[in-house]
């Protein structure tokens, strides 16, 4: 660092120094006046010695400083994610943290950020939230049930233990963990949806204004809007920040019988999109309401997919008809921007119902690895519950614990299980 | 050497010089001074100090391996003494015995001969946790063990008190090593010394307010060695244990107790035996009774008069004193298990009521238990507190790291139990002999044996409390079982030389027979043999493979049938142990192997792979981990010096990152 500044004295860790940076070996060529902070190993993000330079924000300044740095021996630009990787390798971050950090950095909407930050902090060992770590919690519960099994396997005949009731309790504990994992997997799905963006498909018959609604939602002209039926033949996607929700809007081709091959292809795709979507907006228009599209929608949208029914072109009636005020459908006019606030509220409510991750729950940063860990764990536990041989049951539970441990770091030593046994049961003669 | 020789030695001039030296070097360890050279010394290959279960196995192993061995004991009559419960085996412990037997050890064979009540624990559960156990006639065991020991080749027995270790620099590398012991009778030299002094190191006996020095009742404690160990810089800790009162059998009313019957088909411990010595119908029953509210009241009222309770030494949680149980479990009454101590003994051992309250209170306490209202106490319960050496001072060979040539085995390493001691005696004995013979040491793997798991636990994790073997400590227990210990270990023992020809050939024959029958069972279906048997198979699928029936919990009724069908000889059809082993293998093949065989779970494969990554023998300075591990962990690593990656991973505080770093370091320094 001394190459870059005139300040040659030893930097005190965690002190900010105001310094002029110059081109190495050329003190006249000043790059910028900047703040320098020195973090001494292991008390830095990566666990290695780190100097942070806070310079002025121009692209040229940053570029020039980086260029000068990389001319120095042993210096090179960090690879993408290298800081996190080093932090991980040096034991400063665990895998869960590294994952959630990645999500945090990649967050685009406020809700994504909240969820990722919560996870990141939760996995920090020093954080108070760390007790909530799902994996640690599940493992603790499994270790306890394993202790019950081991009590039966090691002591039941020697000691005064009621093995039948201990086994029942052990099974009960395993069953509770199984249901917790299932809930966690469901939530994980929600988190995954949040990180990737909520797929919102707009489906409906041709020419009800699907593309118009999409444009209204994205506040930009993404889809081709024209008065002719069948204009949209492909699935068009745009990502918007809807009240903090990351929403991927998917416009679809109209659903109707058509002999046009291209259009049929598009409609096939529409059906597929409707099946894969996280939320579906079923759009029809006031002039089509006579046709039984409600019925039609139920055949197109899976029961498990949350949906909202919207009726467009309310302007044709000159306002929302009173007869329909009890209707669950939302009446809007894309053309005249009528009823949109109610639609936004309804949509927001729907998203909140389906995708909120409240603070008290143990949601996890979504990563394929964690989902895989939970699924493998679940599989082992289900095998355990189907087993009538206690030795095998213990083997399965033990493997589930090992699987969880791979995500946490430290292994459960056999001693910990024995500790649990002695805590709970009166053993020994 | 015999005792006559020792008398001669006692009068010799060496002794005078020696005593003089020992006086001068009171604060040093004894070194063979130049004044000794040219004198006649008592020189052995191996000295074993202590004649308990560890000492006996150690002495037997070294003498079988051809080393001239001296067994030093305080008293000839206590060789092979069972100082606490009159039983051998159990879950975990039975596994250790099977492995000791598979490696040519003594305790299983002697137990088969002297057992008076055999029972396979956990029979209703999977074979991985089957625990062979037997009540053993206390006097008979000692007598038989003494007979065996005195008949061993290359072995002499000598009675005296060991006072110190003899230390001398090695001629080649001038590293100090243990070259012998000094006893009350003089100096004795050997290339390896194994200390198996049990609870005798600075032992104190507690009963009520009384505290006396001693290792067992009426036997002296050893203090000299303990001082030697502290001066060598060994980390010494203190543990406590206890033994319950002994009751006169004829003063107990067994009709008020539940009866526990032994197995009708007793299984022998040793792989050399197909039957135990006692006739099944002559076996003795055991009895069960319980403590009462009165018992609790009496003990609680007298606890203030127990000196041991006030000591902050650590006692075993799995074998707690009655006081400890009462304190921890407030609402319970506790089981009391009554074992008769021998065929001709009038003593009963009541498991579960070890206390250190005063004698008069013990009388009262015993009488509060149903069946014992008129009981007479033959020997009062007492507690023992003793020094142990932190086993992290040891290599996996049980040789101390600080002083080459010195081995420690048994309760001195913080373990508890006869079987744990015997297993360590065997390992220490074999390795002491290997040192003398200049051969590769025997290090058993934790993935392949209970002994290996125990030694690894002790040498890498130490002993926070008296260490007892449990099946839960062994990761691979579906394969590492008591029924197949000979499969796993006997050929290794044969290669080393501690297993003789006849045991090896017995193992080979048994293995062949088992493999043949297993092959037949795997390749035959129920319909193939249905006609010949009079059992009703109508509810079963005729396509069921026979192996599944052998794996069934009611295997006993099927196996003899199958053996008859395949034309195996009568003696095999009647061999319970063979049937039991067949059953265990069948369970492994049909069930356990799902978790162990082809799809063996990742953690277990890793355990084995990690064990193969051995670390260099010279000490590693782990301070390079400074950035990824806390100081305490680095300190621990520097102290323990794990022998391989699997052991390293078990050091508390080590995570995968640190383990990877260690590997990187070793690779980069080209030591791996």
């Amino acid at each position: 660092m001394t190459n870059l500044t005139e300040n040659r004295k030893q930097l005190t860790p965690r002190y900010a120094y105001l310094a002029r940076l110059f081109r190495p070996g050329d003190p006249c060529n000043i790059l910028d006046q900047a703040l320098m902070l020195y973090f001494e190993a292991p008390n830095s993000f990566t666990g290695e010695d780190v100097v942070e330079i806070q310079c002025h924000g121009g692209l040229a300044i940053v570029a020039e400083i980086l260029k000068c740095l990389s001319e120095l021996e042993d210096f090179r630009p960090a690879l993408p994610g290298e800081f996190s990787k080093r932090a991980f390798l040096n034991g400063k971050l665990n895998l869960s943290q590294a994952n959630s950090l990645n999500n945090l950095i990649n967050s685009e909407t406020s809700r994504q950020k909240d969820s990722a930050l919560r996870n990141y902090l939760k996995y920090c060992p020093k954080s108070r939230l760390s007790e909530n770590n799902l994996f640690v919690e599940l493992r603790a519960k499994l270790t306890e049930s394993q202790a019950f099994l081991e009590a039966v396997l090691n002591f039941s005949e020697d000691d005064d233990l009621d093995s039948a009731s201990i086994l029942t309790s052990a099974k009960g504990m395993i069953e509770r963990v199984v249901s917790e994992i299932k809930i966690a997997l469901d939530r994980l799905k929600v988190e995954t949806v949040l990180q990737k963006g909520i797929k919102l498909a707009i489906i409906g018959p041709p020419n009800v204004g699907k593309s118009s609604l999409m444009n209204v939602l994205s506040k930009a002209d993404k889809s081709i809007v024209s008065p002719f039926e069948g204009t949209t033949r492909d699935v068009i996607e745009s990502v918007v920040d809807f009240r903090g929700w990351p929403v991927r809007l998917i416009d679809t081709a109209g659903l109707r019988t058509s002999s046009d091959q291209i259009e049929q292809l598009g409609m096939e795709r529409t059906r597929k999109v409707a099946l894969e979507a996280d939320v579906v907006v079923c759009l029809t228009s006031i002039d089509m309401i006579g046709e039984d599209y409600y019925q039609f929608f139920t055949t197109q949208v899976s029961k498990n997919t949350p949906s909202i029914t919207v009726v467009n072109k309310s302007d044709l009636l000159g306002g929302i008809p009173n007869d329909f005020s009890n209707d669950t459908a939302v009446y809007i006019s894309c053309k005249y921007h009528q009823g949109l606030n109610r639609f936004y509220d309804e949509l927001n409510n729907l998203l909140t119902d389906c995708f909120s991750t409240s603070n008290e729950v143990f949601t996890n940063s979504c990563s394929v690895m964690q989902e895989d860990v939970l699924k493998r764990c679940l599989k082992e536990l289900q095998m355990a519950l189907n087993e009538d041989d206690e030795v095998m049951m213990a083997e399965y539970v033990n493997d589930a614990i090992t699987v969880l441990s791979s995500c946490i770091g430290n292994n459960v030593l056999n001693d910990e299980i024995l500790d649990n046994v002695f805590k709970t049961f009166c053993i020994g003669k | 050497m015999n005792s006559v020789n020792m008398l001669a030695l006692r009068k010799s001039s060496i002794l005078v010089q020696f005593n003089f030296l020992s006086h001068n070097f009171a604060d040093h360890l004894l070194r063979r001074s130049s004044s000794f050279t040219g004198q006649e010394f008592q020189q052995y290959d191996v000295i074993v100090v202590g004649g308990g279960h560890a000492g006996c196995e150690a002495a037997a192993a070294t003498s079988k391996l051809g080393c001239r061995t001296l067994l030093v004991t305080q008293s000839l009559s206590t060789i092979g003494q069972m100082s606490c419960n009159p039983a051998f085996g159990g879950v975990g412990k039975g596994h250790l015995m099977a492995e000791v037997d598979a490696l040519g050890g003594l305790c299983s064979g002697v137990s088969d001969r002297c057992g008076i009540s055999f029972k396979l624990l956990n029979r209703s559960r999977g074979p991985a946790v089957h625990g062979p156990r037997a009540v053993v006639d206390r006097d008979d065991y000692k007598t038989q063990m003494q007979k065996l020991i005195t008949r061993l080749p290359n072995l002499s027995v000598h009675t005296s008190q060991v006072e110190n270790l003899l230390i001398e620099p090695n001629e080649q590398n001038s590293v100090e090593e243990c070259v012998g012991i000094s006893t009350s009778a003089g100096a004795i030299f050997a290339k390896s010394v194994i200390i198996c002094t049990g609870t005798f190191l600075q032992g104190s006996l507690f009963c009520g307010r009384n505290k006396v020095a001693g290792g067992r009742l009426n036997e002296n404690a050893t203090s000299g060695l303990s001082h030697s160990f502290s001066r060598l810089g060994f980390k010494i800790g203190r543990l406590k244990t206890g033994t319950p009162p002994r009751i006169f059998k004829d003063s107990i009313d067994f009709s008020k107790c539940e009866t526990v019957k032994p197995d009708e088909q007793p299984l022998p411990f040793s792989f050399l035996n197909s039957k135990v010595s006692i006739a099944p119908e002559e076996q003795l029953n055991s009895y069960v009774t319980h403590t009462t509210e009165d018992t609790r009241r009496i003990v609680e009222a007298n606890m203030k008069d127990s000196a041991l309770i006030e000591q902050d030494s650590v006692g075993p949680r799995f074998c707690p004193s009655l006081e400890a149980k009462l304190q921890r479990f407030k609402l319970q009454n506790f089981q009391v298990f009554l074992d008769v101590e021998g065929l001709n003994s009038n003593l009963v051992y009541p498991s579960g009521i070890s206390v250190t309250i005063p004698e008069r209170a013990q009388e009262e306490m015993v009488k509060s238990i149903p069946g014992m209202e008129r009981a007479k106490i033959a020997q009062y319960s007492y507690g023992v507190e003793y020094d142990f050496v932190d086993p992290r001072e040891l290599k996996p060979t049980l040789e101390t790291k600080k002083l080459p040539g010195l081995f420690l085995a048994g309760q001195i390493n913080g373990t508890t139990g006869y079987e744990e001691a015997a297993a360590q005696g065997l390992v220490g004995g074999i390795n002491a002999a290997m040192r003398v013979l200049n051969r590769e040491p025997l290090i058993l793997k934790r993935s392949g044996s209970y002994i290996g798991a125990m030694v690894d636990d002790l040498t890498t994790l130490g002993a926070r409390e008296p260490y007892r073997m449990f099946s839960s400590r062994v990761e691979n227990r579906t394969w590492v079982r008591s029924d197949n210990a000979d499969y796993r270990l006997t050929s290794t023992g044969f290669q080393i030389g501690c297993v003789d020809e006849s045991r090896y050939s017995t193992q080979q024959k048994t293995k062949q027979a088992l493999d043949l029958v297993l092959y037949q069972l795997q390749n035959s279906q129920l319909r193939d043999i249905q006609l010949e048997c009079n059992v009703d198979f109508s509810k079963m699928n005729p396509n069921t493979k026979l192996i599944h029936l052998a794996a069934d919990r009611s295997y006993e009724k099927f196996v003899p049938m199958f053996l008859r069908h395949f034309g195996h000889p009568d003696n095999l059809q009647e061999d319970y142990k063979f049937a039991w082993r067949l059953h265990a293998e069948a369970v492994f093949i049909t069930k356990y192997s799902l978790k162990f065989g082809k799809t063996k779970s990742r953690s277990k494969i890793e355990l084995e792979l990690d064990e193969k990554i051995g670390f260099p023998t010279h000490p590693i300075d782990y301070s390079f981990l400074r950035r990824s591990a806390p100081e305490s962990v680095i300190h621990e690593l520097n102290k323990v010096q794990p022998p391989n990656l699997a052991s390293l991973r078990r050091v508390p505080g080590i995570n995968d990152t640190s383990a990877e770093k260690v590997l990187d370091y070793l690779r980069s320094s080209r030591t791996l």
Side-chain angles (χ1 to χ4, degrees), chain A residues 388-407:
Chain A
D388 61 343
D389 181 336
E390 299 84 356
V391 173
M392 286 303 281
M393 207 192 272
E395 287 284 305
Y396 284 119
V397 174
N398 192 37
D399 281 355
I401 294 175
T402 314
V403 168
L404 285 178
S405 296
S406 68
C407 217

Side-chain angles (χ1 to χ4, degrees), chain B residues 4-19:
Chain B
V4 181
N5 275 348
M6 277 323 289
L7 275 173
L9 179 70
R10 210 168 282 168
K11 286 174 189 160
S12 74
S13 60
I14 302 169
L15 181 69
V16 181
Q17 285 182 2
F18 188 80
N19 277 345

Side-chain angles (χ1 to χ4, degrees), chain A residues 20 83 92 99 136 141 179 215 250 254 277 330 335-337 341 344 375 412 417:
Chain A
R20 283 184 190 170
F83 278 90
K92 299 295 266 188
N99 259 320
V136 173
K141 284 178 188 162
S179 62
N215 290 347
I250 303 162
V330 183
K335 198 172 174 186
Y336 297 103
H337 286 233
N341 278 340
Y344 291 159
K375 280 184 180 159
V412 173
I417 290 163

Side-chain angles (χ1 to χ4, degrees), chain A residues 44-104:
Chain A
S44 71
F45 175 74
T46 57
E48 297 165 5
D49 287 330
V50 168
V51 171
E52 207 172 291
I53 300 172
Q54 302 182 1
C55 62
H56 291 103
L59 284 176
I61 300 175
V62 175
E64 208 164 343
I65 294 176
L66 285 178
K67 186 164 163 265
C68 290
L69 280 174
S70 52
E71 280 165 10
L72 293 171
E73 208 175 317
D74 290 339
F75 277 69
R76 65 169 170 76
L79 303 171
E82 189 171 2
F83 278 90
S84 304
K85 187 183 167 195
R86 288 190 182 205
F88 170 68
L89 289 177
N90 289 320
K92 299 295 266 188
L93 283 181
N94 59 33
L95 214 50
S96 312
Q97 260 177 297
N99 259 320
S100 44
L101 182 64
N102 184 37
N103 286 335
L104 180 61

Side-chain angles (χ1 to χ4, degrees), chain A residues 20-313:
Chain A
R20 283 184 190 170
L21 301 179
F22 50 79
R23 196 174 287 282
D26 186 3
C28 302
N29 195 344
I30 293 171
L31 299 167
D32 191 16
Q33 189 174 42
L35 274 179
M36 313 244 299
L37 286 144
Y38 169 49
F39 298 93
E40 193 182 29
N43 299 317
S44 71
F45 175 74
T46 57
E48 297 165 5
D49 287 330
V50 168
V51 171
E52 207 172 291
I53 300 172
Q54 302 182 1
C55 62
H56 291 103
L59 284 176
I61 300 175
V62 175
E64 208 164 343
I65 294 176
L66 285 178
K67 186 164 163 265
C68 290
L69 280 174
S70 52
E71 280 165 10
L72 293 171
E73 208 175 317
D74 290 339
F75 277 69
R76 65 169 170 76
L79 303 171
E82 189 171 2
F83 278 90
S84 304
K85 187 183 167 195
R86 288 190 182 205
F88 170 68
L89 289 177
N90 289 320
K92 299 295 266 188
L93 283 181
N94 59 33
L95 214 50
S96 312
Q97 260 177 297
N99 259 320
S100 44
L101 182 64
N102 184 37
N103 286 335
L104 180 61
I105 292 167
N106 292 330
S107 305
E108 284 167 345
T109 75
S110 60
R111 283 184 198 262
Q112 279 179 320
K113 186 215 74 179
D114 287 349
S115 143
L117 182 64
R118 204 163 48 235
N119 283 319
Y120 174 68
L121 292 179
K122 194 163 53 194
Y123 291 117
C124 291
K126 278 175 195 161
S127 149
R128 268 173 298 147
L129 286 163
S130 64
E131 291 148 18
N132 293 334
N133 189 329
L134 169 70
F135 287 66
V136 173
E137 223 171 77
L138 289 179
R139 186 173 69 168
K141 284 178 188 162
L142 286 182
T143 311
E144 203 186 333
S145 67
Q146 181 79 340
F148 276 56
L149 291 174
E150 292 300 337
V152 170
L153 289 177
N154 284 282
F155 305 103
S156 62
E157 290 212 17
D158 248 356
D159 291 280
D160 214 3
L161 298 181
D162 179 357
S163 28
S165 77
I166 295 171
L167 279 174
T168 314
S169 326
K171 277 187 190 164
M173 284 183 229
I174 298 169
E175 275 160 6
R176 278 197 292 282
V177 172
V178 163
S179 62
E180 272 180 50
I181 291 179
K182 282 182 179 161
I183 294 171
L185 279 171
D186 282 347
R187 289 195 196 281
L188 204 52
K189 226 181 267 167
V190 169
E191 293 274 339
T192 316
V193 167
L194 269 186
Q195 295 301 337
K196 288 185 182 159
I198 303 165
K199 272 194 209 165
L200 186 149
I202 305 173
I203 64 166
N207 209 22
V208 292
K210 294 187 294 296
S211 300
S212 306
L213 181 62
M214 177 151 165
N215 290 347
V216 166
L217 276 171
S218 64
K219 294 172 191 132
D221 281 7
K222 277 271 159 56
S223 306
I224 321 145
V225 192
S226 81
F228 307 106
E229 277 189 20
T231 313
T232 309
R233 290 182 179 178
D234 265 326
V235 176
I236 292 179
E237 216 176 289
S238 79
V239 182
V240 299
D241 178 349
F242 174 76
R243 297 199 180 171
W245 300 106
V247 175
R248 286 162 65 191
L249 295 174
I250 303 162
D251 191 7
T252 58
L255 293 162
R256 58 161 188 170
T257 48
S258 164
S259 51
D260 183 343
Q261 265 196 338
I262 300 172
E263 229 176 274
Q264 266 190 341
L265 214 63
M267 277 164 56
E268 194 49 50
R269 224 170 288 169
T270 300
R271 281 190 197 98
K272 226 178 125 204
V273 167
L275 283 177
E276 285 171 2
D278 303 310
V279 178
V280 173
V281 172
C282 305
L283 187 70
T284 178
S285 68
I286 210 99
D287 49 345
M288 299 238 179
I289 209 149
E291 296 173 41
D292 198 359
Y293 271 102
Y294 292 107
Q295 186 81 42
F296 172 73
F297 286 140
T298 53
T299 62
Q300 293 297 321
V301 182
S302 134
K303 262 187 210 155
N304 297 326
T305 314
S307 64
I308 185 169
T309 309
V310 179
V311 182
N312 194 13
K313 304 187 186 174

